[in-house]
Amino acid sequence: MSLYTTLRFITSHPLNREHKHRALLRYAKWQIGSRIVPGAVVFDWINGSRFLVRAGETGLTGNVYTGLHEFNEMAFLLHVLREDDVFVDVGANVGSYSILACSVVGARAYAFEPIPQTHSRLVDNLRLNRIEDRVICPNIGIGAKAGSFVFTADGDTVNHVLADGESNRNSVKVAMATLDSILAQQSPALIKIDVEGFEMPVLKGAEATLSKDSLHAVIMELNGSGDRYGFDENHILEMMLGYGFKTYAYDPFRRTLISLEGKNVTEGNTLFIKTQSYVADRIKNAPRFSVNGVSF
């Protein structure tokens, strides 16, 4: 990401628009401080939560710059989850969503991260927040069946399963399981899926999970990456519709669900909601949160 693109993202972010100078100061302080202090830095986040962040970690530095990197989806999680709900984080990376779910809200979670080095940083963040007892975090991938796949290992937030004919000098073979096999006795309320194009196999291995009455919503990244595997996102939309989910965007300030025709084309993530009235009621009655002096 170029400097111009980064600064534009920071200053146009919903939590920074009214305080752009503060946002730019945070950016400058991080750029200087991360070069002075070697290794990871503990960053104090929302409602007493924290995370360990290193220079170059895209998702976490985005939280440093903006408060909530993926504001609409992260705010949706904060507004819709309740204490002791089960949250499922497929492609957890170093744990931003799981920290919000478990440290801030008090939910329980299953967090799946296939890349060993990234998984180690995820575990460090869970320990930092003292939520290891609330999060089960297997170092595995999630797919359509048990087995193993080869992943890239040097892509930060965009590591992915190697497609046929694709090569990568830094790759790792990882065990795979299905959501249905792991969550058979669980009642998840919210699932986040961020698997860089591998969504279809994840969903195929989650037929029973997606059918559960407890599951109200799925946050799924659909950014066209499935093309590398020959997957058509229209088939994903049809599949989710078959399970009773409709697509929405979310306005955290107004606490409004915005009905969509198809996927969210203005952002990477699409909200799939099965029980709109129930979710809307939860959102309406959720506590307020404040980040960077902005309440929502």
Side-chain angles (χ1 to χ4, degrees), residues 5 46 60 101-102 267:
T5 303
I46 176 174
L60 291 183
C102 301
E267 299 180 15

Side-chain angles (χ1 to χ4, degrees), residues 35-271:
R35 286 165 170 76
I36 295 173
V37 179
V41 176
V42 175
F43 182 81
D44 293 322
W45 204 14
I46 176 174
N47 286 24
S49 65
R50 302 186 293 171
F51 55 77
L52 288 161
V53 55
R54 296 168 174 81
E57 288 187 318
T58 305
L60 291 183
T61 54
N63 291 330
V64 173
Y65 302 153
T66 67
L68 293 172
H69 184 197
E70 296 179 341
F71 175 56
N72 294 340
E73 298 83 2
M74 289 178 162
F76 176 79
L77 178 151
L78 291 171
H79 287 160
V80 79
L81 276 182
R82 295 294 185 269
E83 187 174 350
D84 291 327
D85 275 346
V86 175
F87 170 62
V88 179
D89 196 351
V90 182
N93 198 258
V94 294
S96 291
Y97 277 83
S98 291
I99 293 169
L100 292 174
C102 301
S103 181
V104 179
V105 177
R108 295 179 294 119
Y110 284 77
F112 303 98
E113 174 50 46
I115 312 305
Q117 290 179 329
T118 308
H119 180 267
S120 178
R121 295 200 290 275
L122 167 64
V123 171
D124 288 342
N125 279 322
L126 300 180
R127 289 173 177 163
L128 179 67
N129 286 278
R130 299 180 180 178
I131 54 175
E132 314 99 296
D133 61 333
R134 305 194 67 79
V135 186
I136 295 173
C137 58
N139 181 200
I140 61 174
I142 297 297
K145 58 184 179 181
S148 63
F149 279 88
V150 178
F151 284 76
T152 64
D154 55 3
D156 190 29
T157 58
V158 293
N159 280 314
H160 59 272
V161 173
L162 283 179
D164 290 342
E166 183 182 6
S167 61
N168 187 278
R169 294 178 62 184
N170 191 357
S171 60
V172 59
K173 190 174 183 179
V174 178
M176 300 284 279
T178 68
L179 283 183
D180 283 348
S181 66
I182 296 174
L183 302 176
Q185 305 303 315
Q186 299 298 319
S187 300
L190 175 64
I191 297 175
K192 186 216 81 179
I193 301 174
D194 183 356
V195 290
E196 300 302 320
F198 208 64
E199 296 84 18
M200 184 61 79
V202 171
L203 297 175
K204 286 183 176 179
E207 294 179 354
T209 302
L210 293 169
S211 300
K212 290 187 175 184
D213 292 337
S214 66
L215 182 60
H216 308 301
V218 176
I219 303 170
M220 194 184 321
E221 184 181 48
L222 295 176
N223 59 13
S225 296
D227 289 348
R228 66 164 63 99
Y229 309 108
F231 299 143
D232 185 342
E233 289 182 350
N234 288 323
H235 294 162
I236 292 174
L237 295 170
E238 292 170 3
M239 177 184 291
M240 295 298 287
L241 182 63
Y243 286 107
F245 291 90
K246 296 181 179 180
T247 56
Y248 293 85
Y250 184 54
D251 181 339
F253 294 120
R254 297 180 180 179
R255 299 201 179 196
T256 301
L257 292 168
I258 303 163
S259 181
L260 301 175
E261 293 294 332
K263 74 173 187 177
N264 191 340
V265 297
T266 62
E267 299 180 15
N269 292 302
T270 298
L271 302 181

